[in-house]
Structure formats: structure tokens, C-alpha cells
Amino acid sequence: MSRRNKGGHGQLFLLFHFACFRVQTQSAAAGQQTQTLYGIWDNGTALTTSRNTLVQQQITAASGTTPSTRSVTRNPVNYLSQRGWYLDLVVGAASATGEKFIATPRIQSGKILFPTYEPGVGSDCVPGGKNWLYALDPLSGGASFGQVTVPPGG
């Protein structure tokens, strides 16, 4: 949850952040279900079950880079007409690859940080798959850093 003073009128701005995921069952762990992170503004009114009042942020992959890199869009959220944002763990317009949250997202140093794991095909000695670490702006759900890369093996 983020707390910010809204304007100068002593109003409190509460924004709840939560991830929707399930890996406790064998079928969920093996499935290709899309997992999602939400940032919802609690303005005291009910929120519908559709996502049409939320801004979508998207993950994109850079092609031909070594090591592989990803970016998250920075679509603005207008809190006068929208209730927050969401980010599906899907890269671009592709179908779900089974990327999963592997820890609870946390707010640290003003950023939402969370690691994910994208399963891959491998062998017994080289298991495959990739880990990703995301850092998002809590108010918009957009990327909070520019492109950050880690050297291979680092």
C-alpha cells in the first residue's frame, strides 16, 4: 500500500498493490495462466470487476540483445477518470508463457520490486528458464528505471 498526501488539503491518497497468482497446486504450477500485478486507488467507492477503469502497462522484449532485456511501458494514469493500473506477465502480444511471480511484490525505496520466473525447456544438467526482476512506479505501474542490464553470468 502506498500513502501520499493528495494536494494540500490533508486528503490521503491510498493505492493498494497486489498480485494475483497461485502456484500451490500442481496444475497451477504447470499451467500457462496469466498472472497479474494491480495498483488500485481506494477512493471509497466500489470497483467493478472489469479492468476498463484501469490503465494497462505492457512488457516488451528487445530483439537481438545479449543478454536478453525487457522494458515496461510508462502509460500515464489519470486518477480523475481512472482507478489505477495493471500489468499482465505476458510479453507483448504473445500468448502466456507461464511466467510466474516467485515472491511477493514489495515496495522498497519508492519502487515496487518483484522477481519472476519464465519456464524454459532444458535438460537435467541445464534446466533452462529465465529469472526477471522488475521495478515499477507505484502510482502508474510503469517502468521506474531505464534499461538496466546485468552482464552474462552476473
Side-chain angles (χ1 to χ4, degrees):
M1 179 174 77
S2 298
R3 293 178 60 161
R4 304 217 179 200
N5 190 354
K6 183 179 173 190
H9 307 290
Q11 295 176 317
L12 198 56
F13 184 85
L14 297 177
L15 190 64
F16 291 90
H17 307 96
F18 58 94
C20 293
F21 62 100
R22 180 182 69 157
V23 293
Q24 69 272 18
T25 64
Q26 199 169 17
S27 62
Q32 301 290 319
Q33 300 165 333
T34 300
Q35 296 188 348
T36 304
L37 181 69
Y38 291 91
I40 306 291
W41 173 36
D42 181 7
N43 67 358
T45 63
L47 183 66
T48 64
T49 56
S50 82
R51 302 194 301 186
N52 63 358
T53 59
L54 304 176
V55 171
Q56 181 183 20
Q57 301 296 354
Q58 292 183 305
I59 300 168
T60 58
S63 60
T65 61
T66 304
S68 301
T69 60
R70 288 186 172 178
S71 299
V72 176
T73 57
R74 291 181 169 147
N75 298 323
V77 179
N78 179 350
Y79 283 100
L80 295 174
S81 61
Q82 297 163 320
R83 294 287 301 274
W85 53 267
Y86 69 97
L87 175 71
D88 290 332
L89 292 185
V90 176
V91 178
S95 58
T97 60
E99 185 170 356
K100 308 250 183 273
F101 292 98
I102 56 174
T104 302
R106 58 185 296 169
I107 298 178
Q108 187 170 333
S109 301
K111 312 290 183 230
I112 298 176
L113 300 169
F114 61 96
T116 66
Y117 174 72
E118 181 181 22
V121 177
S123 65
D124 291 338
C125 297
V126 184
K130 293 181 181 179
N131 289 329
W132 298 96
L133 178 62
Y134 295 92
L136 305 180
D137 178 321
L139 291 178
S140 71
S144 63
F145 296 124
Q147 192 174 38
V148 178
T149 59
V150 177

